[in-house]
Amino acid sequence: MSKLWGIKDVSDFLGVPVNTLYQWRTRNYGPPGKRIGKYVRFVPDQVKAWVESLPDGVA
């Protein structure tokens, strides 16, 4: 398994602000993340799969 991404890593990858990712999490939207202690971590392959699962035209 590769290194887990933090919220900033996902923000950089998706090109969206960190606050947007936190808002998405409260709405059960966005890439799946896991809380590890006080941090949210993401599996890079799951983030990429989430992006691939979006319908065409979603921005």
Side-chain angles (χ1 to χ4, degrees), residues 10-54:
V10 177
S11 170
D12 291 342
F13 177 77
L14 297 177
V16 299
V18 168
N19 284 339
T20 298
L21 290 172
Y22 283 122
Q23 289 174 8
W24 285 355
R25 284 183 54 78
T26 63
R27 295 182 178 123
N28 294 318
Y29 182 73
K34 300 285 185 191
R35 182 166 292 285
I36 299 175
K38 64 180 183 176
Y39 303 102
V40 178
R41 295 292 181 244
F42 299 84
V43 176
D45 289 341
Q46 290 179 348
V47 175
K48 293 172 186 173
W50 176 80
V51 171
E52 292 296 322
S53 74
L54 294 173

